[in-house]
Amino acid sequence: MSDKLGARVEGKGGETIVLLHGFGGSHSTWTDIQPSLARYARVIAYDLPGHGRSLDFPGAGPATVAAKAVAADLTARGIEKVHLVGHSMGGAVATLIAMRSPERVASLTLLAPGGFGPQINGELLKRYANAPDAGALGSIMDEMSAPGFSTPPKYVLGLAAVRGQRGQRANLDTFHGIIQKDGVQGEIPREALAKLAMPVNLVWGTADPVLPFAQTQNLPENIRLTPIDGAGHMLTVEAKPAVLAAIRASLVAGSP
């Protein structure tokens, strides 16, 4: 096993943006997001523990392990402060990093993050974890998106290629049981979120079939909500312009 995280690094500049994918994804989640951001910043898109090029990371599964791994990798790279962006499970990981090391986080952009409420579509995630081929995977990705949205083939094929690694689907089936139990996920307390001092932008599709938009209720005043009307859960594919705009807004808010 390797305790080093896989990552794709693009761009350069005085600021660093870190991109954290969701359950079952990889750095390729950000294929059409990272290059745009890399025009004016260094951008690191990680493969979280147990995924992609970090498949054999020891202890992979819990978000706490992923949070510690990303923080350790940033330290090893000599990076002191970053703008964190996380989607779904990656949003939960980003939030944990910000809670534990707030001095290291200039801004936090959360795309339909895990942990903001108990509800989760466990049955859909289980089918997503165990999709046997690209055809099944594409159909499930469509289900995770807004009604009527068809996932472009390049995203399906890219994700299917990652799933082709020996042990990847077995990992995801195990992780699925860690993320949710009987359709309930662990929650990050609202009082902990209220203590975050950096700019926090919460971006959520109003038609999300995986993590319901209703989880945006009763947010602390320090969290800015950016709803995306009619979007589902796969925001980096469904709503790229809105996602980029939200990240750029966070960069402005969190820059000195």
Side-chain angles (χ1 to χ4, degrees):
M1 288 190 174
S2 173
D3 60 357
K4 291 186 177 181
L5 288 180
R8 180 177 62 198
V9 182
E10 294 183 6
K12 57 183 179 180
E15 298 194 89
T16 300
I17 304 170
V18 169
L19 306 176
L20 305 177
H21 64 78
F23 169 67
S26 74
H27 69 273
S28 65
T29 293
W30 310 99
T31 293
D32 286 339
I33 301 289
Q34 188 174 12
S36 296
L37 299 174
R39 294 171 186 165
Y40 45 83
R42 172 172 47 179
V43 187
I44 304 174
Y46 280 104
D47 285 343
L48 291 174
H51 295 74
R53 290 179 289 181
S54 304
L55 182 66
D56 295 325
F57 195 95
T64 51
V65 171
K68 290 176 182 177
V70 171
D73 188 84
L74 291 171
T75 296
R77 293 174 185 267
I79 300 173
E80 296 181 356
K81 200 154 191 170
V82 299
H83 297 271
L84 280 178
V85 182
H87 174 238
S88 197
M89 180 188 77
V93 173
T95 304
L96 290 177
I97 296 171
M99 289 168 54
R100 294 176 175 186
S101 304
E103 75 284 352
R104 301 190 68 171
V105 182
S107 72
L108 193 58
T109 306
L110 306 174
L111 313 176
F116 271 58
Q119 298 88 7
I120 187 170
N121 192 332
E123 183 274 333
L124 181 55
L125 283 183
K126 186 170 181 63
R127 288 194 287 117
Y128 175 67
N130 291 282
D133 52 43
L137 185 58
S139 296
I140 296 168
M141 291 173 73
D142 289 350
E143 284 188 64
M144 297 171 78
S145 306
F149 183 83
S150 181
T151 308
K154 73 173 183 177
Y155 295 106
V156 178
L157 294 175
L159 197 56
V162 175
R163 297 290 182 90
Q165 297 180 97
R166 183 183 300 274
Q168 182 67 91
R169 277 192 291 177
N171 267 11
L172 297 183
D173 189 55
T174 298
F175 298 166
H176 164 266
I178 295 172
I179 292 171
Q180 67 84 43
K181 292 179 174 63
D182 299 322
V184 176
Q185 65 171 336
E187 292 185 70
I188 299 171
R190 287 292 199 260
E191 53 267 30
L193 296 173
K195 295 178 181 178
L196 294 172
M198 74 289 296
V200 183
N201 193 355
L202 181 64
V203 184
W204 216 304
T206 62
D208 192 324
V210 179
L211 299 173
F213 180 74
Q215 293 185 14
T216 62
Q217 296 176 358
N218 303 316
L219 291 172
E221 292 183 358
N222 59 315
I223 296 181
R224 171 186 176 184
L225 176 62
T226 302
I228 303 181
D229 189 45
H233 190 66
M234 309 302 276
L235 295 176
T236 60
V237 178
E238 295 179 71
K240 177 183 133 181
V243 168
L244 280 170
I247 296 171
R248 289 169 179 150
S250 293
L251 259 65
V252 171
S255 296

